[in-house]
Short mmCIF file of all heavy atoms in Angstrom, two decimals:
data_model
loop_
_atom_site.label_atom_id
_atom_site.label_comp_id
_atom_site.label_asym_id
_atom_site.label_seq_id
_atom_site.Cartn_x
_atom_site.Cartn_y
_atom_site.Cartn_z
N MET A 245 -18.11 -2.55 1.09
CA MET A 245 -16.69 -2.35 0.58
C MET A 245 -15.89 -1.41 1.43
O MET A 245 -14.72 -1.65 1.60
CB MET A 245 -16.85 -1.77 -0.88
CG MET A 245 -15.55 -1.59 -1.63
SD MET A 245 -14.72 -3.05 -1.74
CE MET A 245 -14.94 -3.48 -3.40
N LYS A 246 -16.56 -0.39 2.01
CA LYS A 246 -15.84 0.58 2.83
C LYS A 246 -15.25 -0.14 4.05
O LYS A 246 -14.22 0.19 4.50
CB LYS A 246 -16.73 1.71 3.28
CG LYS A 246 -16.96 2.66 2.15
CD LYS A 246 -17.80 3.87 2.61
CE LYS A 246 -18.06 4.91 1.51
NZ LYS A 246 -18.94 5.92 1.96
N GLN A 247 -16.10 -1.07 4.51
CA GLN A 247 -15.69 -1.71 5.79
C GLN A 247 -14.54 -2.69 5.47
O GLN A 247 -13.49 -2.72 6.34
CB GLN A 247 -16.85 -2.59 6.35
CG GLN A 247 -17.89 -1.81 7.05
CD GLN A 247 -19.09 -2.61 7.45
OE1 GLN A 247 -19.28 -3.74 6.95
NE2 GLN A 247 -19.93 -2.07 8.30
N ILE A 248 -14.49 -3.31 4.33
CA ILE A 248 -13.43 -4.18 3.84
C ILE A 248 -12.19 -3.31 3.72
O ILE A 248 -11.08 -3.75 4.19
CB ILE A 248 -13.66 -4.94 2.64
CG1 ILE A 248 -14.90 -5.91 2.81
CG2 ILE A 248 -12.54 -5.60 2.10
CD1 ILE A 248 -15.40 -6.47 1.60
N ILE A 249 -12.21 -2.18 3.15
CA ILE A 249 -11.11 -1.32 2.94
C ILE A 249 -10.49 -0.80 4.36
O ILE A 249 -9.40 -0.84 4.56
CB ILE A 249 -11.44 -0.22 1.98
CG1 ILE A 249 -11.61 -0.76 0.54
CG2 ILE A 249 -10.25 0.89 2.06
CD1 ILE A 249 -12.20 0.31 -0.40
N ALA A 250 -11.46 -0.41 5.13
CA ALA A 250 -11.03 0.07 6.39
C ALA A 250 -10.36 -0.99 7.26
O ALA A 250 -9.28 -0.74 7.89
CB ALA A 250 -12.22 0.61 7.20
N ARG A 251 -10.82 -2.27 7.23
CA ARG A 251 -10.26 -3.30 7.93
C ARG A 251 -8.90 -3.60 7.35
O ARG A 251 -7.87 -3.92 8.09
CB ARG A 251 -11.20 -4.59 7.75
CG ARG A 251 -10.64 -5.68 8.57
CD ARG A 251 -11.75 -6.94 8.64
NE ARG A 251 -12.14 -7.30 7.31
CZ ARG A 251 -13.32 -7.22 6.82
NH1 ARG A 251 -14.29 -6.72 7.49
NH2 ARG A 251 -13.57 -7.74 5.66
N ASN A 252 -8.66 -3.45 6.00
CA ASN A 252 -7.29 -3.69 5.48
C ASN A 252 -6.39 -2.68 5.72
O ASN A 252 -5.09 -2.88 5.89
CB ASN A 252 -7.44 -3.77 3.92
CG ASN A 252 -7.86 -5.23 3.57
OD1 ASN A 252 -7.02 -6.07 3.55
ND2 ASN A 252 -9.17 -5.51 3.36
N ILE A 253 -6.83 -1.39 5.86
CA ILE A 253 -6.05 -0.28 6.34
C ILE A 253 -5.49 -0.53 7.73
O ILE A 253 -4.29 -0.29 7.97
CB ILE A 253 -6.70 1.10 6.11
CG1 ILE A 253 -6.90 1.44 4.63
CG2 ILE A 253 -5.89 2.12 6.91
CD1 ILE A 253 -7.68 2.59 4.35
N GLU A 254 -6.36 -0.95 8.57
CA GLU A 254 -6.15 -1.24 9.95
C GLU A 254 -4.97 -2.37 10.10
O GLU A 254 -4.18 -2.29 11.03
CB GLU A 254 -7.29 -1.53 10.86
CG GLU A 254 -8.15 -0.35 11.13
CD GLU A 254 -7.45 0.69 11.97
OE1 GLU A 254 -6.65 0.31 12.99
OE2 GLU A 254 -7.56 1.87 11.67
N ALA A 255 -5.01 -3.17 9.17
CA ALA A 255 -4.03 -4.42 9.28
C ALA A 255 -2.62 -3.98 8.78
O ALA A 255 -1.71 -4.76 8.84
CB ALA A 255 -4.66 -5.57 8.38
N LEU A 256 -2.58 -2.80 8.12
CA LEU A 256 -1.20 -2.36 7.56
C LEU A 256 -0.26 -2.16 8.64
O LEU A 256 -0.58 -1.87 9.76
CB LEU A 256 -1.42 -1.17 6.81
CG LEU A 256 -2.13 -1.20 5.48
CD1 LEU A 256 -2.30 0.16 4.91
CD2 LEU A 256 -1.38 -2.20 4.44
N PRO A 257 1.06 -2.36 8.45
CA PRO A 257 2.08 -2.02 9.40
C PRO A 257 2.04 -0.46 9.76
O PRO A 257 1.37 0.38 8.95
CB PRO A 257 3.42 -2.19 8.63
CG PRO A 257 3.09 -3.24 7.57
CD PRO A 257 1.68 -2.89 7.19
N GLU A 258 2.37 -0.01 10.93
CA GLU A 258 2.18 1.31 11.27
C GLU A 258 2.56 2.47 10.33
O GLU A 258 1.87 3.43 10.10
CB GLU A 258 2.85 1.55 12.73
CG GLU A 258 2.41 2.71 13.45
CD GLU A 258 0.84 2.63 13.71
OE1 GLU A 258 0.26 1.51 13.97
OE2 GLU A 258 0.18 3.70 13.61
N SER A 259 3.80 2.24 9.77
CA SER A 259 4.27 3.33 8.85
C SER A 259 3.40 3.44 7.66
O SER A 259 3.12 4.50 7.08
CB SER A 259 5.73 3.02 8.51
OG SER A 259 5.84 1.81 7.73
N GLU A 260 2.98 2.30 7.04
CA GLU A 260 2.17 2.22 5.89
C GLU A 260 0.75 2.89 6.28
O GLU A 260 0.21 3.71 5.45
CB GLU A 260 2.02 0.88 5.36
CG GLU A 260 3.21 0.29 4.74
CD GLU A 260 3.10 -1.16 4.28
OE1 GLU A 260 1.94 -1.58 4.03
OE2 GLU A 260 4.14 -1.65 4.16
N LYS A 261 0.18 2.48 7.43
CA LYS A 261 -1.02 2.97 7.89
C LYS A 261 -1.03 4.53 8.04
O LYS A 261 -1.94 5.28 7.61
CB LYS A 261 -1.38 2.47 9.20
CG LYS A 261 -2.83 2.71 9.59
CD LYS A 261 -3.11 2.13 11.00
CE LYS A 261 -2.49 0.76 11.32
NZ LYS A 261 -2.86 0.32 12.62
N MET A 262 0.08 5.11 8.46
CA MET A 262 0.22 6.51 8.73
C MET A 262 0.33 7.24 7.40
O MET A 262 -0.35 8.20 7.20
CB MET A 262 1.55 6.83 9.46
CG MET A 262 1.84 8.17 9.77
SD MET A 262 0.63 9.05 10.93
CE MET A 262 0.98 8.22 12.41
N VAL A 263 1.05 6.74 6.47
CA VAL A 263 1.12 7.36 5.19
C VAL A 263 -0.25 7.41 4.40
O VAL A 263 -0.68 8.40 3.84
CB VAL A 263 2.22 6.71 4.32
CG1 VAL A 263 2.09 7.13 2.76
CG2 VAL A 263 3.60 6.98 4.82
N VAL A 264 -0.88 6.31 4.38
CA VAL A 264 -2.21 6.05 3.81
C VAL A 264 -3.15 7.11 4.42
O VAL A 264 -3.89 7.77 3.80
CB VAL A 264 -2.74 4.67 3.81
CG1 VAL A 264 -4.21 4.61 3.41
CG2 VAL A 264 -1.88 3.81 3.00
N SER A 265 -3.17 7.16 5.76
CA SER A 265 -4.10 8.12 6.49
C SER A 265 -3.79 9.52 6.11
O SER A 265 -4.71 10.30 5.89
CB SER A 265 -3.95 7.81 7.99
OG SER A 265 -4.68 8.75 8.69
N LEU A 266 -2.59 9.95 6.17
CA LEU A 266 -2.13 11.31 5.96
C LEU A 266 -2.52 11.75 4.45
O LEU A 266 -2.90 12.89 4.20
CB LEU A 266 -0.66 11.59 6.25
CG LEU A 266 -0.35 11.49 7.72
CD1 LEU A 266 1.18 11.53 7.89
CD2 LEU A 266 -1.00 12.67 8.35
N TYR A 267 -2.26 10.73 3.58
CA TYR A 267 -2.38 10.99 2.13
C TYR A 267 -3.94 11.12 1.75
O TYR A 267 -4.38 11.99 1.07
CB TYR A 267 -1.81 9.91 1.25
CG TYR A 267 -1.81 10.27 -0.14
CD1 TYR A 267 -0.92 11.24 -0.62
CD2 TYR A 267 -2.44 9.56 -1.12
CE1 TYR A 267 -0.85 11.61 -2.01
CE2 TYR A 267 -2.49 9.84 -2.47
CZ TYR A 267 -1.62 10.79 -2.85
OH TYR A 267 -1.50 11.14 -4.18
N TYR A 268 -4.78 10.12 2.16
CA TYR A 268 -6.05 10.04 1.72
C TYR A 268 -7.15 10.75 2.69
O TYR A 268 -8.09 11.23 2.22
CB TYR A 268 -6.48 8.53 1.51
CG TYR A 268 -5.86 7.89 0.33
CD1 TYR A 268 -4.77 7.09 0.53
CD2 TYR A 268 -6.16 8.25 -0.98
CE1 TYR A 268 -4.16 6.51 -0.44
CE2 TYR A 268 -5.51 7.69 -2.01
CZ TYR A 268 -4.43 6.86 -1.79
OH TYR A 268 -3.77 6.33 -2.85
N TYR A 269 -6.82 10.69 4.03
CA TYR A 269 -7.76 11.30 4.92
C TYR A 269 -7.41 12.80 5.08
O TYR A 269 -8.30 13.65 5.22
CB TYR A 269 -7.87 10.52 6.21
CG TYR A 269 -8.39 9.21 6.06
CD1 TYR A 269 -7.65 7.98 6.35
CD2 TYR A 269 -9.81 8.95 5.55
CE1 TYR A 269 -8.20 6.72 6.15
CE2 TYR A 269 -10.22 7.70 5.35
CZ TYR A 269 -9.44 6.59 5.77
OH TYR A 269 -10.03 5.39 5.59
N ASP A 270 -6.14 13.11 5.34
CA ASP A 270 -5.78 14.47 5.70
C ASP A 270 -5.49 15.19 4.40
O ASP A 270 -5.17 16.42 4.49
CB ASP A 270 -4.61 14.52 6.68
CG ASP A 270 -4.97 13.88 8.01
OD1 ASP A 270 -6.17 14.00 8.41
OD2 ASP A 270 -4.10 13.28 8.72
N GLU A 271 -5.36 14.43 3.32
CA GLU A 271 -5.12 15.10 2.00
C GLU A 271 -3.82 15.82 1.88
O GLU A 271 -3.75 16.89 1.22
CB GLU A 271 -6.29 15.86 1.52
CG GLU A 271 -7.56 15.02 1.39
CD GLU A 271 -8.91 15.89 0.90
OE1 GLU A 271 -8.62 17.13 0.78
OE2 GLU A 271 -9.82 15.25 0.68
N LEU A 272 -2.76 15.30 2.62
CA LEU A 272 -1.44 15.99 2.54
C LEU A 272 -0.65 15.45 1.22
O LEU A 272 -1.02 14.25 0.78
CB LEU A 272 -0.59 15.64 3.75
CG LEU A 272 -1.10 16.19 5.12
CD1 LEU A 272 -0.07 15.62 6.08
CD2 LEU A 272 -1.34 17.59 5.03
N THR A 273 0.20 16.18 0.70
CA THR A 273 1.00 15.75 -0.39
C THR A 273 2.06 14.84 0.22
O THR A 273 2.35 14.85 1.37
CB THR A 273 1.60 17.01 -1.11
OG1 THR A 273 2.52 17.55 -0.26
CG2 THR A 273 0.57 17.94 -1.62
N MET A 274 2.74 14.12 -0.73
CA MET A 274 3.82 13.30 -0.23
C MET A 274 4.96 14.15 0.30
O MET A 274 5.58 13.61 1.23
CB MET A 274 4.24 12.32 -1.47
CG MET A 274 3.19 11.28 -1.83
SD MET A 274 3.75 9.98 -2.67
CE MET A 274 2.27 9.15 -2.98
N LYS A 275 5.12 15.27 -0.32
CA LYS A 275 6.16 16.18 0.28
C LYS A 275 5.85 16.61 1.71
O LYS A 275 6.66 16.57 2.57
CB LYS A 275 6.28 17.42 -0.62
CG LYS A 275 7.45 18.30 -0.33
CD LYS A 275 7.72 19.33 -1.35
CE LYS A 275 8.93 20.09 -1.10
NZ LYS A 275 9.17 21.03 -2.31
N GLU A 276 4.57 16.97 1.88
CA GLU A 276 4.09 17.36 3.24
C GLU A 276 4.20 16.21 4.26
O GLU A 276 4.56 16.30 5.41
CB GLU A 276 2.67 17.89 3.18
CG GLU A 276 2.64 19.14 2.46
CD GLU A 276 1.07 19.57 2.21
OE1 GLU A 276 0.29 18.70 1.99
OE2 GLU A 276 0.85 20.82 2.09
N ILE A 277 3.90 14.96 3.75
CA ILE A 277 3.95 13.80 4.65
C ILE A 277 5.39 13.61 5.03
O ILE A 277 5.76 13.26 6.16
CB ILE A 277 3.35 12.61 3.95
CG1 ILE A 277 1.87 12.73 3.76
CG2 ILE A 277 3.66 11.26 4.74
CD1 ILE A 277 1.26 11.77 2.86
N GLY A 278 6.30 13.81 4.11
CA GLY A 278 7.69 13.59 4.43
C GLY A 278 8.25 14.55 5.49
O GLY A 278 8.95 14.12 6.42
N LYS A 279 7.71 15.64 5.41
CA LYS A 279 8.05 16.79 6.46
C LYS A 279 7.54 16.35 7.79
O LYS A 279 8.27 16.50 8.83
CB LYS A 279 7.62 18.16 6.07
CG LYS A 279 8.43 18.69 4.91
CD LYS A 279 7.95 20.10 4.55
CE LYS A 279 8.63 20.75 3.44
NZ LYS A 279 8.26 22.02 3.01
N VAL A 280 6.35 15.78 7.93
CA VAL A 280 5.63 15.48 9.07
C VAL A 280 6.47 14.29 9.68
O VAL A 280 6.63 14.20 10.84
CB VAL A 280 4.23 15.09 8.82
CG1 VAL A 280 3.63 14.42 10.12
CG2 VAL A 280 3.40 16.40 8.50
N LEU A 281 6.80 13.28 8.89
CA LEU A 281 7.34 12.08 9.35
C LEU A 281 8.91 12.09 9.39
O LEU A 281 9.59 11.05 9.76
CB LEU A 281 6.90 10.88 8.54
CG LEU A 281 5.33 10.70 8.52
CD1 LEU A 281 5.05 9.48 7.61
CD2 LEU A 281 4.84 10.36 9.92
N TYR A 282 9.44 13.18 8.96
CA TYR A 282 10.95 13.34 8.84
C TYR A 282 11.61 12.30 7.98
O TYR A 282 12.65 11.66 8.43
CB TYR A 282 11.59 13.34 10.27
CG TYR A 282 11.02 14.33 11.21
CD1 TYR A 282 10.13 14.04 12.28
CD2 TYR A 282 11.41 15.62 11.04
CE1 TYR A 282 9.53 14.99 13.00
CE2 TYR A 282 10.97 16.70 11.82
CZ TYR A 282 10.00 16.27 12.86
OH TYR A 282 9.51 17.31 13.67
N ILE A 283 10.96 12.06 6.90
CA ILE A 283 11.51 11.14 5.79
C ILE A 283 11.41 11.90 4.45
O ILE A 283 10.69 12.80 4.36
CB ILE A 283 10.80 9.83 5.71
CG1 ILE A 283 9.37 9.87 5.44
CG2 ILE A 283 10.98 8.97 7.03
CD1 ILE A 283 8.58 8.67 5.35
N THR A 284 12.14 11.34 3.46
CA THR A 284 12.15 12.03 2.18
C THR A 284 10.84 11.74 1.39
O THR A 284 10.13 10.73 1.72
CB THR A 284 13.32 11.45 1.22
OG1 THR A 284 13.09 10.07 0.97
CG2 THR A 284 14.66 11.80 1.95
N GLU A 285 10.55 12.65 0.62
CA GLU A 285 9.41 12.44 -0.28
C GLU A 285 9.43 11.10 -1.12
O GLU A 285 8.38 10.38 -1.25
CB GLU A 285 9.22 13.60 -1.35
CG GLU A 285 8.06 13.59 -2.21
CD GLU A 285 7.95 14.72 -3.18
OE1 GLU A 285 8.87 15.58 -3.08
OE2 GLU A 285 7.06 14.84 -3.91
N SER A 286 10.61 10.73 -1.51
CA SER A 286 10.78 9.51 -2.14
C SER A 286 10.51 8.23 -1.31
O SER A 286 9.80 7.30 -1.74
CB SER A 286 12.26 9.38 -2.66
OG SER A 286 12.51 8.04 -3.29
N ARG A 287 10.87 8.33 -0.05
CA ARG A 287 10.58 7.24 0.91
C ARG A 287 9.07 7.19 1.08
O ARG A 287 8.49 6.11 1.32
CB ARG A 287 11.23 7.49 2.20
CG ARG A 287 11.05 6.32 3.12
CD ARG A 287 11.68 4.97 2.69
NE ARG A 287 11.35 3.94 3.63
CZ ARG A 287 10.91 2.79 3.26
NH1 ARG A 287 10.66 2.39 2.00
NH2 ARG A 287 10.62 1.87 4.22
N VAL A 288 8.36 8.40 1.20
CA VAL A 288 6.96 8.27 1.40
C VAL A 288 6.31 7.57 0.23
O VAL A 288 5.39 6.87 0.39
CB VAL A 288 6.34 9.78 1.52
CG1 VAL A 288 4.86 9.86 1.42
CG2 VAL A 288 6.95 10.37 2.75
N SER A 289 6.70 7.96 -1.03
CA SER A 289 6.26 7.32 -2.18
C SER A 289 6.34 5.76 -2.14
O SER A 289 5.54 5.02 -2.52
CB SER A 289 6.93 7.79 -3.36
OG SER A 289 6.42 7.20 -4.63
N GLN A 290 7.60 5.33 -1.70
CA GLN A 290 7.84 3.93 -1.58
C GLN A 290 6.97 3.22 -0.62
O GLN A 290 6.41 2.13 -0.87
CB GLN A 290 9.34 3.61 -1.18
CG GLN A 290 10.41 4.03 -2.15
CD GLN A 290 11.82 4.00 -1.57
OE1 GLN A 290 11.96 3.93 -0.39
NE2 GLN A 290 12.76 3.96 -2.50
N ILE A 291 6.71 3.87 0.55
CA ILE A 291 5.88 3.24 1.60
C ILE A 291 4.47 3.20 1.02
O ILE A 291 3.74 2.22 1.27
CB ILE A 291 5.94 4.12 2.88
CG1 ILE A 291 7.32 4.00 3.51
CG2 ILE A 291 4.87 3.74 3.85
CD1 ILE A 291 7.64 4.98 4.64
N HIS A 292 3.95 4.25 0.34
CA HIS A 292 2.67 4.33 -0.25
C HIS A 292 2.51 3.27 -1.19
O HIS A 292 1.44 2.46 -1.18
CB HIS A 292 2.40 5.73 -0.91
CG HIS A 292 1.01 5.85 -1.44
ND1 HIS A 292 0.99 5.53 -2.83
CD2 HIS A 292 -0.13 6.16 -1.06
CE1 HIS A 292 -0.40 5.71 -3.21
NE2 HIS A 292 -1.01 6.02 -2.09
N THR A 293 3.37 3.05 -2.06
CA THR A 293 3.35 1.90 -3.16
C THR A 293 3.31 0.57 -2.52
O THR A 293 2.49 -0.28 -2.84
CB THR A 293 4.51 2.08 -4.06
OG1 THR A 293 4.52 3.32 -4.74
CG2 THR A 293 4.56 0.86 -5.11
N GLN A 294 4.19 0.40 -1.44
CA GLN A 294 4.09 -0.87 -0.75
C GLN A 294 2.75 -1.14 -0.05
O GLN A 294 2.21 -2.25 -0.16
CB GLN A 294 5.19 -0.91 0.34
CG GLN A 294 5.48 -2.18 1.06
CD GLN A 294 6.61 -2.03 2.02
OE1 GLN A 294 7.25 -0.90 2.30
NE2 GLN A 294 6.95 -3.00 2.63
N ALA A 295 2.25 -0.12 0.58
CA ALA A 295 0.88 -0.24 1.24
C ALA A 295 -0.17 -0.68 0.16
O ALA A 295 -1.04 -1.43 0.39
CB ALA A 295 0.55 1.04 2.02
N MET A 296 -0.12 0.06 -0.95
CA MET A 296 -1.19 -0.11 -1.97
C MET A 296 -1.05 -1.57 -2.58
O MET A 296 -2.01 -2.29 -2.86
CB MET A 296 -1.03 0.83 -3.11
CG MET A 296 -1.45 2.31 -2.84
SD MET A 296 -3.01 2.48 -2.22
CE MET A 296 -2.71 2.62 -0.44
N LEU A 297 0.20 -2.05 -2.76
CA LEU A 297 0.33 -3.51 -3.23
C LEU A 297 -0.12 -4.44 -2.15
O LEU A 297 -0.89 -5.45 -2.62
CB LEU A 297 1.81 -3.82 -3.51
CG LEU A 297 2.39 -3.03 -4.67
CD1 LEU A 297 3.87 -3.12 -4.90
CD2 LEU A 297 1.69 -3.40 -6.03
N ARG A 298 0.17 -4.19 -0.90
CA ARG A 298 -0.21 -5.10 0.19
C ARG A 298 -1.87 -5.20 0.23
O ARG A 298 -2.36 -6.19 0.26
CB ARG A 298 0.33 -4.58 1.47
CG ARG A 298 0.10 -5.59 2.60
CD ARG A 298 0.65 -5.04 3.90
NE ARG A 298 1.90 -4.32 3.78
CZ ARG A 298 3.10 -5.09 4.14
NH1 ARG A 298 3.11 -6.34 4.41
NH2 ARG A 298 4.21 -4.49 4.02
N MET A 299 -2.39 -3.94 0.11
CA MET A 299 -3.87 -3.94 0.24
C MET A 299 -4.54 -4.50 -0.97
O MET A 299 -5.52 -5.18 -0.95
CB MET A 299 -4.37 -2.56 0.36
CG MET A 299 -4.16 -1.85 1.72
SD MET A 299 -4.82 -0.29 1.94
CE MET A 299 -6.51 -0.58 1.54
N ARG A 300 -3.97 -4.34 -2.17
CA ARG A 300 -4.46 -4.88 -3.34
C ARG A 300 -4.54 -6.37 -3.30
O ARG A 300 -5.44 -7.06 -3.65
CB ARG A 300 -3.68 -4.39 -4.55
CG ARG A 300 -4.32 -4.78 -5.92
CD ARG A 300 -3.48 -4.22 -7.11
NE ARG A 300 -3.49 -2.78 -7.01
CZ ARG A 300 -2.41 -2.01 -7.30
NH1 ARG A 300 -1.27 -2.49 -7.65
NH2 ARG A 300 -2.53 -0.70 -7.26
N GLY A 301 -3.39 -6.96 -2.78
CA GLY A 301 -3.36 -8.47 -2.65
C GLY A 301 -4.42 -8.93 -1.67
O GLY A 301 -5.05 -9.98 -2.00
N ARG A 302 -4.62 -8.24 -0.53
CA ARG A 302 -5.52 -8.70 0.47
C ARG A 302 -6.95 -8.47 -0.13
O ARG A 302 -7.75 -9.46 0.17
CB ARG A 302 -5.33 -7.97 1.75
CG ARG A 302 -4.20 -8.28 2.41
CD ARG A 302 -3.97 -7.41 3.66
NE ARG A 302 -2.77 -7.74 4.51
CZ ARG A 302 -2.30 -7.07 5.40
NH1 ARG A 302 -2.90 -5.95 5.79
NH2 ARG A 302 -1.17 -7.43 5.99
N LEU A 303 -7.19 -7.47 -0.76
CA LEU A 303 -8.58 -7.25 -1.24
C LEU A 303 -8.96 -8.27 -2.42
O LEU A 303 -10.09 -8.63 -2.48
CB LEU A 303 -8.68 -5.85 -1.82
CG LEU A 303 -8.63 -4.61 -0.87
CD1 LEU A 303 -8.53 -3.34 -1.51
CD2 LEU A 303 -9.82 -4.75 0.06
N LYS A 304 -7.97 -8.53 -3.19
CA LYS A 304 -8.32 -9.63 -4.24
C LYS A 304 -8.80 -10.86 -3.60
O LYS A 304 -9.70 -11.62 -4.01
CB LYS A 304 -7.04 -9.81 -5.05
CG LYS A 304 -6.92 -8.90 -6.16
CD LYS A 304 -5.65 -9.20 -7.06
CE LYS A 304 -5.43 -8.13 -8.04
NZ LYS A 304 -4.30 -8.50 -9.00
N LYS A 305 -8.12 -11.27 -2.53
CA LYS A 305 -8.45 -12.55 -1.74
C LYS A 305 -9.75 -12.42 -1.02
O LYS A 305 -10.63 -13.38 -1.15
CB LYS A 305 -7.38 -12.79 -0.72
CG LYS A 305 -6.05 -13.31 -1.26
CD LYS A 305 -5.03 -13.58 -0.09
CE LYS A 305 -3.69 -13.81 -0.67
NZ LYS A 305 -2.73 -14.08 0.33
N GLU A 306 -10.17 -11.22 -0.50
CA GLU A 306 -11.35 -11.11 0.20
C GLU A 306 -12.52 -10.95 -0.80
O GLU A 306 -13.67 -11.48 -0.47
CB GLU A 306 -11.33 -9.83 0.98
CG GLU A 306 -10.69 -10.02 2.42
CD GLU A 306 -10.94 -8.93 3.28
OE1 GLU A 306 -12.18 -8.62 3.64
OE2 GLU A 306 -9.93 -8.42 3.92
N ILE A 307 -12.33 -10.32 -1.93
CA ILE A 307 -13.49 -10.06 -2.80
C ILE A 307 -13.89 -11.30 -3.60
O ILE A 307 -15.08 -11.51 -3.96
CB ILE A 307 -13.26 -8.81 -3.70
CG1 ILE A 307 -13.19 -7.68 -2.91
CG2 ILE A 307 -14.33 -8.73 -4.80
CD1 ILE A 307 -12.75 -6.36 -3.56
N LYS A 308 -12.91 -12.17 -3.88
CA LYS A 308 -13.28 -13.48 -4.66
C LYS A 308 -14.08 -14.43 -3.96
O LYS A 308 -14.48 -14.45 -3.00
CB LYS A 308 -11.96 -14.18 -5.01
CG LYS A 308 -11.21 -13.45 -6.13
CD LYS A 308 -10.02 -14.29 -6.56
CE LYS A 308 -9.37 -13.50 -7.75
NZ LYS A 308 -8.22 -14.26 -8.21
#
């Protein structure tokens, strides 16, 4: 399962991959990520949501 998730993270667009990495691996808050990437906390949240939806769709296809 970890390999499947890692592969799906790697397939994300660069901005989504960066947000996911900073949030889950570096454990930064969305506010902190916004400061690092020079975007608003709201935009970080949007990118995170988009990444999760994209990954959820791909994972559903792979697991079935």
Side-chain angles (χ1 to χ4, degrees):
M245 184 59 105
K246 286 182 183 181
Q247 290 175 340
I248 293 171
I249 292 171
R251 188 170 54 245
N252 276 279
I253 290 171
E254 284 300 315
L256 290 172
E258 198 59 39
S259 62
E260 293 177 19
K261 191 185 320 181
M262 180 66 70
V263 168
V264 169
S265 174
L266 291 171
Y267 190 73
Y268 292 103
Y269 295 117
D270 296 329
E271 298 181 354
L272 297 180
T273 65
M274 292 201 183
K275 188 173 189 172
E276 292 168 330
I277 295 169
K279 288 181 182 179
V280 169
L281 300 178
Y282 302 104
I283 58 178
T284 65
E285 183 178 359
S286 175
R287 183 65 185 134
V288 173
S289 179
Q290 290 171 345
I291 293 169
H292 177 266
T293 298
Q294 187 175 2
M296 294 301 103
L297 291 172
R298 188 183 312 270
M299 285 185 59
R300 189 175 298 139
R302 289 179 181 167
L303 289 171
K304 280 183 181 180
K305 288 178 184 176
E306 279 197 51
I307 293 174
K308 285 186 178 182

